[in-house]
Amino acid sequence: MTETPTVRPARAATITTWDFEADVVVAGYGVAGAAAAIEAARAGADVLVLERTGGWGGAAALSGGFIYLGGGTPLQRALGFDDTPENMEKFLVAALGPGVDKAKIHDYCQGSVEHFNWLVAQGVPFKEAFWGEPGWEPPHDEGLMYSGGENAAPFNEQIPPAPRGHLPQMENKRTGEKGGGYMLMKPLTETAEKLGVRAEYDIRLQRLVTDDADRVVGVVAKRYGKQLNIRARRGVVLATGSFAYQQQMIEGYAPRLIGRPGAAIEEHDGIGIRIAQALGADLAHMDATEVAIFGDPQRMARGILVNGRGQRYIPEDTYPGRIGQATLLQQDNQAFLILDEEALEAADATETSTPFFRQPPTWVAESVEELEAEMGLPAGTLQSTVEIYNRHAKDGVDPVLGKKPEWVKPVGTPLAGYDMRGFTAGFTLGGLRTDLDSRVLHVSGEPIEGLYAAGRCTSGICAGGYASGASLGDGSFYGRRAGVAAATQEASHTPAAGN
Amino acid sequence: MTETPTVRPARAATITTWDFEADVVVAGYGVAGAAAAIEAARAGADVLVLERTGGWGGAAALSGGFIYLGGGTPLQRALGFDDTPENMEKFLVAALGPGVDKAKIHDYCQGSVEHFNWLVAQGVPFKEAFWGEPGWEPPHDEGLMYSGGENAAPFNEQIPPAPRGHLPQMENKRTGEKGGGYMLMKPLTETAEKLGVRAEYDIRLQRLVTDDADRVVGVVAKRYGKQLNIRARRGVVLATGSFAYQQQMIEGYAPRLIGRPGAAIEEHDGIGIRIAQALGADLAHMDATEVAIFGDPQRMARGILVNGRGQRYIPEDTYPGRIGQATLLQQDNQAFLILDEEALEAADATETSTPFFRQPPTWVAESVEELEAEMGLPAGTLQSTVEIYNRHAKDGVDPVLGKKPEWVKPVGTPLAGYDMRGFTAGFTLGGLRTDLDSRVLHVSGEPIEGLYAAGRCTSGICAGGYASGASLGDGSFYGRRAGVAAATQEASHTPAAGN
């Protein structure tokens, strides 16, 4: 690249030719963009999607496909799970905070059953099967799973748990060919196409175009180095993804992710955030991050996880994303798994979707004392951790962290230690502040006219915490809102160029 | 208040009367504003300071007065401490990160000795006396103290430690009448006055004024409900402090501080940040926070601090601001101090600047087992923590956390537990992204013409960590830079109103 293009808005009066025109221009063809395009088209708008890569899908199509939904969806009910919007809301406020957008979470929970039905109506398949084991994903094509630690401490004691990770039915799971994310995106983009949505590919967003009243009326983009001016008569929807791959933003906002972006795609360079900031758009929760940990949840649930001082710090049977966050953000990325031979065998006898997380042991020993010494932990630290765990495990309880009885068993010998330091990676959750109609808010609190956003370029329902499915969930939910809001906006009076 | 005023910029062309005019307009008369005013005046500018309250001082005048300086200041040398800019830089990068602005820290360390001399030249008094005890501040008028954990684990093993907390000589310390912050601000504002700097009080900043080329040429403010238009011929310097008291910004950016603002003043409402954001200004480290803990450092150093699981988590003899951050951000604000009778007596026999931090015990017991039960900790947790600590303390070492031998002594009986849950409070460290000349950077990376900023409305040398004196330090250092840069800017050609 020879020069960094400016992100400052262009004035419509300076545009001499519009290369494309549409009522609603959607930037990004991931889940938020597809949902926006569908609903904008249904509302009668002529819709054009601009996608940076050579095809639809975004990070969504490459993801596992979890969509966080609840409150009593037909899938939950068919599988025998009671849930209410109120319990879902209580859980999300507790698990995704502190500092969550409570109005957004309330709105999201109230609309969740309707949103599930909408996804089904667009052709997204959900198989009526539940997977109840600890893990990142089901090993097969099951449609429902716990995905945020609802059934683990401390939440299971506070709020009636229900599984809310809804998964589009996968095909050829083992080869990764048609994973949950693909099976979500394919029907959505097919629906959009049927509705007449146009899509242009290999187009990189550069800046927004504003009229003299500061209303957004288009975008400037580039394709293979050639500048394109694209007019949006009613509105622009930003659905450009996170900033996990924008180095300066990571350093400035979410430095714990330096060198460890994950579950994002390299196109996630924060461009949608930056071009809106140039108009005075407000931000929220720029430090918030999803954090994955590359450990086998089956093994973790059956062992004990300790930090760099040999202390336990998290119930090992919870959502692995909570383990990832706690490890990176609260334990300086220091984690060691302690597992005895019997537990290892039991774990490895179970099915898992991610067998490559089963790393070989770093240390093996005949006693805890020996393992502690081999690991280089100060004398007594690991021994006392195991002693206390075992003292209570004999009674099948874990009063220290509340691991569920079914996973609590004294640690025996021989045993092994697994070095999981630096095993975390993640993506960013912060971004543009939007209202319930997905309007991008100016720092004054007023909406920026003509500008809408959804997905991971916005701050959605998450603040400090995460649950798998929250991103595809709020991305599709508020993508729909953005599409409707943009399509029903009065057309701007920007004259066609050259007229 | 009847309506929220907009933070959107006003266009100069719409201003019909200028109520005040100056070459350089400085918003805020705390340490950054005073330093900016002095240097702008010295550079030949006609300077006007706008202060929201009825007098100069800001949060600085109410603070302890620490200024983080080093690299071999005359005060360090007179007191026998070796220091180099390189060691200072290594420490700050290690202690204030991750994600620090390395160029800014390098610049700050290289200029630190000169900055100390400058402060002395403005009349700021420093007494040649060192205070070497753990604590928040010296009990008397000593001029030098460790203020960031330089002489504690893990830094003392990595980087040659030097005390860098420079304190203006206090008068009447015990009454709080003329504390270190007052003794810093008084000579600075007197110097400014001698240089002809004008100041107007009770003026609330509302928005910036820009010309047709988007250069900042003034501000709109209010005094007692009356709007004032203030022209800045060369530049505007924002020195308006943190956003610790702006509820929406705290919820959206630094939610762990919800309900616990501290060491800030209520005027810290983020206004300088928001009016610059409205121009497309970039931000950094909005989640970063200083965190104080209201515990007596003498007692903490002599005891052991445990979290909600009865585990130690921080060397108790380090800078208490590190203890505060670790407690709030990594231990869910759960902290308990365990202290035996002998240690309590030794601690309370020492001098301290903050005797009111010496709270009564929450629980007392004849044995650790009894204390553990009274505290409601799971059986064995506190006992094993004390056991391991004592096992190594007998040899005078703390291999778990590296507390210095002078503070390591086995915990005996009788003993007490102090409930320090919720004992934290703090202020925000994030804000506008600025360059080394204190120019406010647009999200495009280019400076916003005519706009400068320093102090806690900017992201300074801190990211995740903190050291006492970093805020008055970078505030005064980059305040000076802002003053020079604004004063030497070519005057704008905005015509006087009505001409």
Side-chain angles (χ1 to χ4, degrees), chain A residues 5 25 27 50 52 203-208 219-222 236 238 240 271-272 275:
Chain A
V25 171
L50 309 175
R52 177 169 161 166
I203 289 191
R204 286 170 184 253
L205 208 54
Q206 307 287 303
R207 51 209 296 220
L208 294 164
V219 305
V220 174
K222 273 198 177 169
V236 169
L238 299 172
T240 50
I271 184 68
I275 62 178

Side-chain angles (χ1 to χ4, degrees), chain B residues 290-301:
Chain B
E290 181 266 4
V291 184
I293 184 162
F294 302 115
D296 175 24
Q298 282 286 345
R299 288 184 177 182
M300 292 195 287

Side-chain angles (χ1 to χ4, degrees), chain A residues 29 41 74 79 100 112 130 174 233 293 347 382-383 394 410 428 465:
Chain A
Y29 215 173
L79 291 167
V100 291
S112 190
F130 170 68
R174 290 285 169 187
R233 285 180 293 258
I293 184 161
L382 184 63
Q383 290 176 76
K394 278 185 302 197
T428 60

